[in-house]
Amino acid sequence: EMVLWDQELRGFGIRARVGGAKTCILHYRAGTGRGAQLRTFTIGKHGSPWTPDKARTEAKRLLGLIASGEDPAERRATERKALTVAELCDLYLAEGATHKKPSTLKADLGRIVHHIKPLLGRVRVDKVARADIDRILIDVKAGKTAAPTPNEGERKPGSIATGGSGVAAQCVALMSTLLAFAVARGLRSDNPARGVKKPPVRKMERFLSEDEIARLAVALDAESNRTGNPYPAAAIKLLLLTGGRRGEILGLQWQHVDFERQCLRLPDSKTGAKVVYLNAPALEVLAGLPRLESN
């Protein structure tokens, strides 16, 4: 190879190789004194946009940074190693979310896969700005990342990614958690998702009437008789009678049931260990269930 050095700007040149490629480069010393390391910084391939004049202007700018103590080559190497948002998500799920319950992790993973990675996955973590968080809010709310509605007979198991205000608010909250994790790991110094105004989430205030509860009870009993399996109907009845969370009831074990004190003693829930007191109908549902060994 051969380098044609600039006559006016020391260290700036164009390097030509056997294959015909020509590259604008800058030679400089990183640090002060004779022991300072000699580095070569590649500005770009000769041609458009790096004409000799534009490359020379860039070399002058870089020499100004070097004079102030910066090292362009080291900075570029650091930037190339910087995590993307997609990589941050993977790191968070592997190391930063071990305290979360499986149901919460499943929800986080859905938001990451369906919304955050498609919208911001390629952006470097240290480059995420408030505008990017606002864009997530707008795009998810508008349904930009929502999955298309499947045709009849094509519905696959699992949830379908949707948009809307509620999902958008949850994605922004998760981004705030991810960026707080990045701050804690020293990947950036601030959290631009903190303080973002999220859309109000519609509160669910639909309650079953007494008539609807009676009809549901009849349907549940009929289903139990038809299948010979009393457990699904019993779970739904206990949800109605206790106000417990789905996971608490579906994961309920006999050792958690205290008939003497008429309560459930849950060793773990979304809010930690807790006691759920049982009314007479709930006790009746539990008392009527058969107990199977190792079930």
Side-chain angles (χ1 to χ4, degrees):
E1 66 178 38
M2 182 183 72
V3 178
L4 179 64
W5 297 107
D6 190 81
Q7 295 285 324
E8 301 172 6
L9 189 62
R10 185 177 180 181
F12 171 62
I14 295 180
R15 180 178 59 202
R17 286 183 166 154
V18 177
K22 299 178 180 65
T23 309
C24 302
I25 62 173
L26 178 66
H27 270 205
Y28 67 94
R29 289 192 179 275
T32 57
R34 293 182 178 180
Q37 187 178 5
L38 183 63
R39 294 187 183 277
T40 300
F41 184 87
T42 300
I43 297 174
K45 289 185 178 180
H46 171 61
S48 179
W50 296 115
T51 63
D53 287 340
K54 286 187 177 180
R56 186 180 294 108
T57 300
E58 175 65 6
K60 289 179 180 178
R61 186 188 73 82
L62 292 170
L63 287 171
L65 295 176
I66 293 164
S68 65
E70 286 195 35
D71 186 346
E74 185 175 333
R75 182 178 179 181
R76 176 179 285 178
T78 300
E79 289 178 348
R80 285 176 175 172
K81 293 178 182 177
L83 289 180
T84 63
V85 171
E87 291 168 334
L88 174 66
C89 290
D90 295 339
L91 181 63
Y92 171 76
L93 290 172
E95 300 180 8
T98 54
H99 63 289
K100 291 191 172 183
K101 297 187 181 299
S103 59
T104 306
L105 277 175
K106 183 179 179 181
D108 283 351
L109 181 61
R111 292 170 196 135
I112 286 170
V113 170
H114 297 299
H115 306 291
I116 293 176
K117 281 188 175 181
L119 293 174
L120 280 185
R122 295 183 180 180
V123 179
R124 276 177 32 194
V125 172
D126 60 336
K127 296 295 183 183
V128 175
R130 176 67 175 264
D132 296 310
I133 308 301
D134 291 336
R135 177 53 54 189
I136 278 188
L137 193 63
I138 293 169
D139 288 346
V140 176
K141 184 178 179 181
K144 184 175 180 179
T145 51
T149 303
N151 296 323
E152 188 175 352
E154 295 180 355
R155 177 73 165 87
K156 295 181 179 180
S159 59
I160 298 176
T162 60
S165 297
V167 179
Q170 291 164 346
C171 286
V172 170
L174 181 54
M175 274 303 303
S176 183
T177 301
L178 289 167
L179 291 171
F181 174 72
V183 171
R185 288 296 178 94
L187 301 175
R188 61 176 297 141
S189 60
D190 64 332
N191 183 350
R194 183 171 294 163
V196 173
K197 187 176 181 180
K198 297 183 281 291
V201 179
R202 180 173 60 93
K203 293 183 178 180
M204 303 300 290
E205 295 183 347
R206 170 69 167 88
F207 299 98
L208 296 180
S209 67
E210 289 187 12
D211 178 64
E212 288 171 327
I213 291 174
R215 285 158 47 201
L216 177 59
V218 171
L220 291 174
D221 290 340
E223 182 70 5
S224 294
N225 293 331
R226 185 183 69 82
T227 62
N229 181 0
Y231 298 103
I236 295 173
K237 289 178 180 179
L238 283 176
L239 286 169
L240 279 168
L241 294 168
T242 66
R245 292 185 173 90
R246 182 177 60 178
E248 295 171 351
I249 299 302
L250 294 184
L252 190 61
Q253 298 179 27
W254 284 116
Q255 62 191 18
H256 304 153
V257 181
D258 187 338
F259 281 104
E260 183 180 351
R261 294 175 178 79
Q262 300 182 351
C263 65
L264 304 177
R265 299 185 180 277
L266 304 178
D268 192 22
S269 70
K270 190 172 183 179
T271 56
K274 73 175 186 180
V275 175
V276 177
Y277 292 97
L278 301 171
N279 52 30
L283 287 166
E284 185 179 344
V285 169
L286 286 166
L289 284 174
R291 302 193 189 193
L292 304 178
E293 287 296 326
S294 304
N295 185 335

